[in-house]
Amino acid sequence: MGERTYDEAAYDGVRLRRLDDAGNVAEFVLDRPEALNALSTNLARSIGRASADLAADRRVRAVVVSSACEKAFCVGADLKERSDFTDADLWAQRPIMRAAFGGLLDLPVPVVVAVHRYALGGGFELALAGDLIVADQTAIFGLPEVSVGLVPGGGGTQLLARRIGWSRAFDLIVTARRVEAAEGERLGFVDRLVPPGQARETAVDLARQIAGNSPVGVRSAKRALRLGAAAGLAEGLEIEDAAWRQTAFSADRREGIAAFNEKRPPSWPEVTRWPGDTGTGR
């Protein structure tokens, strides 16, 4: 199927587009190549708006995050813009930045991030806000904030530690060192390592595979995983049980079992209200 232009795709530095006729797979493209997708205030605002639009789109079952810039995925905060900031300017920018990272993190559907070349600072944190990271062999990751008098502020201290463990995350953050994709795979934050130039294609294929599964089941599974990650075992099992109940008594379960028995692909019913829908993916 050909790519379909996303409705209302007028964002400064971001393009949204549908990758199939049904609109089940959407692509979120960072498109500020002249600045290597550096996170300016305007770009951060666009990321928040685009994320909100995706979250409200009930046709979307999976999202791919990619970069239109050949030289980088995203190099982090726009330090040129910040060079003239007063403390008041930086303080005013903070909620806009938090809304950008939080918007991707809170998407209720799986988010597959395609990374090539540089994913530094806020760029790495945008990738961590997704659910799966596909990186090609040119990818370089890093959280350099402590080297310029900052700390990661887009979720890096929390999301990286949850992926690879406290001590490994501590190592990367306090040394500010850069990590190539192969090491990222060994550490555990790169989920698919692919040859140069194949990150986006692999991410799209993965998103399409996800989108072919039960929409209710996939959303419920993501919600259970996210909520359970910060819970104890007993509480986590209760969260899982709630997700099971929400899915097992949905129309998706009836269609899924019927399709299996009839040896045909499932035709998932349209959902008007998602189980556990609170407006976030968490």
Side-chain angles (χ1 to χ4, degrees), residues 37-120:
N37 292 331
L39 293 167
S40 64
T41 304
N42 284 341
L43 179 56
R45 189 178 286 112
S46 293
I47 290 171
R49 288 173 178 168
S51 297
D53 286 347
L54 285 172
D57 188 340
R58 294 184 177 275
R59 287 180 290 174
V60 173
R61 300 179 184 176
V63 173
V64 173
V65 179
S66 66
S67 165
C69 175
E70 294 183 1
K71 297 180 179 180
F73 172 73
C74 173
V75 295
D78 189 338
L79 297 184
K80 289 184 179 180
E81 178 187 56
R82 286 188 180 179
S83 64
D84 295 326
F85 271 18
T86 64
D87 286 353
D89 292 332
L90 189 60
W91 188 261
Q93 187 195 52
R94 181 62 178 157
I96 299 170
M97 287 291 183
R98 290 201 68 182
F101 293 108
L104 279 179
L105 183 65
D106 286 345
L107 282 175
V109 298
V111 177
V112 185
V113 184
V115 178
H116 65 277
R117 301 297 296 272
Y118 297 103
L120 304 176

Side-chain angles (χ1 to χ4, degrees), residues 165-267:
W166 187 91
S167 62
R168 289 178 173 179
F170 185 82
D171 175 5
L172 298 190
I173 290 169
V174 300
T175 63
R177 70 184 180 89
R178 295 183 178 186
V179 174
E180 294 184 354
E183 183 178 0
E185 183 186 38
R186 291 195 299 272
L187 289 172
F189 65 78
V190 170
D191 300 294
R192 301 284 197 282
L193 179 62
V194 299
Q198 294 187 19
R200 179 187 176 274
E201 178 183 356
T202 302
V204 170
D205 288 345
L206 187 53
R208 285 177 170 151
Q209 180 181 354
I210 292 167
N213 293 321
S214 159
V216 175
V218 168
R219 284 191 179 220
S220 295
K222 174 169 177 173
R223 181 173 171 80
L225 282 160
R226 283 288 178 87
L227 291 175
L233 178 59
E235 182 184 356
L237 290 173
E238 291 302 318
I239 292 169
E240 180 184 80
D241 185 65
W244 181 87
R245 291 171 186 270
Q246 290 166 354
T247 309
F249 296 100
S250 72
D252 275 21
R253 187 263 302 171
R254 292 185 287 275
E255 168 59 16
I257 292 176
F260 177 83
N261 289 328
E262 295 166 14
K263 298 180 173 57
R264 61 172 174 80
S267 179

